[in-house]
Amino acid sequence: MRLCKSRNRHLPEMNITPMIDVVFLLLIFFVTVTQVSQANREQLQLPKQAGEKDQDRSTLTINIDRPGRMTVGGVAVDRADLATIVAAELEKVGGDPRQLKILVRMDQGAQSRAINQLVEQFEQFDVKLVELAVETPQ
Amino acid sequence: MRLSAHRTTRDKKIDLNMTSMIDVVFLLLIFFIVTASFTPTERRLDIAVQSANPAAAQASDFDPAIVEVTATDGGFGYQLGSRTFSNQEDLEEVLIAFPDKSSPAIVRGQDEAPYGMVSAAIQACKNAGFHGVRYQPLTSK
């Protein structure tokens, strides 16, 4: 590349406007995307297991933290709220419980009482399949 | 912007400024390297769930593999029949040697048992190659 010729004649003027444009655009893009994708994922210590399949889109993600509190989409819920949510999701998929893909993200230190109660509750809705989230060890 | 009219077309060709593009590319490269190492990969375990119903459990003629995560003398352990294991590897070894894998394995978790151990038991059953894994709550008698 011939870069030296013009440098002698003009003062080097660098136009950084496009760069700033692009950087800000990317910044906004990533901030938005990460917020959306993390909206229904709480910071939890998931069990360190190899797992069986890769995760894909689930209809409902239920997070259970170490003391056993449940959150759905960043909102704390109790068992009655969860029943309403599951009923609403069931309505959306046309009343077929097999179409429901429920992902349970549960802290590895939590007591199994929470999942046992969930199972009892799912029984009322005839939900027979549940996905458990695990974290692959690095 | 200065669109200089007096410059010839030959001069314009030389004026390709790559600096800003390289800056952005390097920034992106660093961003992806940093985030990739900090986000752990999540996978999933598919299980069939069934509420603790003794009648349903007794209904099958054959003997399914039932792993119970229960309290033992020193903490919690995996109980398979009359044998108790304290770690996942031992449990998995025995499950691999299990003769009949056509029926689903059943994992039962006590209310007080840590979820980490329940998921470890489920993973062990999956690794052993059982045809499906079923989870049941273990109700205290």
Side-chain angles (χ1 to χ4, degrees), chain A residues 44-116:
Chain A
L44 296 172
Q45 279 204 316
L46 296 177
K48 304 271 184 300
Q49 297 293 341
E52 184 192 14
K53 291 172 189 162
D54 287 329
Q55 287 186 10
D56 46 16
R57 271 185 92 86
S58 55
T59 357
L60 179 64
T61 305
I62 302 167
N63 300 278
I64 301 168
D65 66 1
R66 196 163 281 233
R69 291 179 298 236
M70 288 189 287
T71 42
V72 174
V75 185
V77 292
D78 59 11
R79 295 185 68 189
D81 296 332
L82 193 69
T84 322
I85 295 168
V86 174
E89 291 293 335
L90 202 56
E91 189 93 354
K92 258 190 238 170
V93 294
D96 185 6
R98 280 170 299 178
Q99 299 290 315
L100 266 188
K101 298 181 74 162
I102 299 175
L103 179 73
V104 179
R105 298 180 76 248
M106 188 161 161
D107 197 290
Q108 61 173 347
Q111 287 193 337
S112 301
R113 181 174 286 111
I115 184 109
N116 289 355

Side-chain angles (χ1 to χ4, degrees), chain A:
Chain A
M1 273 202 291
R2 281 184 348 186
L3 291 167
C4 49
K5 257 193 179 176
S6 57
R7 201 164 287 172
N8 292 338
R9 271 181 271 157
H10 309 286
L11 273 171
E13 44 176 302
M14 202 169 96
N15 192 0
I16 59 164
T17 322
M19 190 185 79
I20 292 167
D21 281 1
V22 173
V23 169
F24 278 1
L25 186 94
L26 285 171
L27 189 76
I28 292 162
F29 174 78
F30 283 117
V31 166
T32 322
V33 163
T34 43
Q35 274 183 350
V36 167
S37 63
Q38 296 300 312
N40 46 19
R41 278 165 196 268
E42 297 289 314
Q43 284 284 333
L44 296 172
Q45 279 204 316
L46 296 177
K48 304 271 184 300
Q49 297 293 341
E52 184 192 14
K53 291 172 189 162
D54 287 329
Q55 287 186 10
D56 46 16
R57 271 185 92 86
S58 55
T59 357
L60 179 64
T61 305
I62 302 167
N63 300 278
I64 301 168
D65 66 1
R66 196 163 281 233
R69 291 179 298 236
M70 288 189 287
T71 42
V72 174
V75 185
V77 292
D78 59 11
R79 295 185 68 189
D81 296 332
L82 193 69
T84 322
I85 295 168
V86 174
E89 291 293 335
L90 202 56
E91 189 93 354
K92 258 190 238 170
V93 294
D96 185 6
R98 280 170 299 178
Q99 299 290 315
L100 266 188
K101 298 181 74 162
I102 299 175
L103 179 73
V104 179
R105 298 180 76 248
M106 188 161 161
D107 197 290
Q108 61 173 347
Q111 287 193 337
S112 301
R113 181 174 286 111
I115 184 109
N116 289 355
Q117 288 175 348
L118 269 185
V119 168
E120 300 286 347
Q121 207 165 9
F122 289 154
E123 185 88 342
Q124 299 165 15
F125 293 100
D126 212 22
V127 172
K128 295 223 168 70
L129 280 172
V130 174
E131 297 170 0
L132 303 177
V134 290
E135 210 167 81
T136 49
Q138 295 286 327

Side-chain angles (χ1 to χ4, degrees), chain B residues 29-69:
Chain B
L29 191 74
I30 292 163
F31 175 83
F32 282 118
I33 288 170
V34 170
T35 48
S37 56
F38 280 116
T39 319
T41 329
E42 276 186 31
R43 301 191 82 213
R44 64 174 220 243
L45 288 167
D46 288 0
I47 50 156
V49 290
Q50 194 179 39
S51 72
N53 186 356
Q58 296 294 316
S60 78
D61 298 334
F62 40 81
D63 209 15
I66 301 174
V67 182
E68 290 184 347
V69 184

Side-chain angles (χ1 to χ4, degrees), chain B residues 89-139:
Chain B
E89 286 76 27
D90 294 346
L91 174 71
E92 199 172 316
E93 217 167 274
V94 174
L95 283 172
I96 287 169
F98 210 80
D100 179 28
K101 285 177 187 161
S102 54
S103 56
I106 299 173
V107 177
R108 288 182 183 156
Q110 208 176 25
D111 273 355
E112 290 77 25
Y115 172 68
M117 289 187 75
V118 170
S119 57
I122 293 168
Q123 181 76 61
C125 293
K126 293 267 182 192
N127 290 352
F130 278 92
H131 191 260
V133 178
R134 183 170 293 165
Y135 178 76
Q136 281 180 345
L138 182 65
T139 45

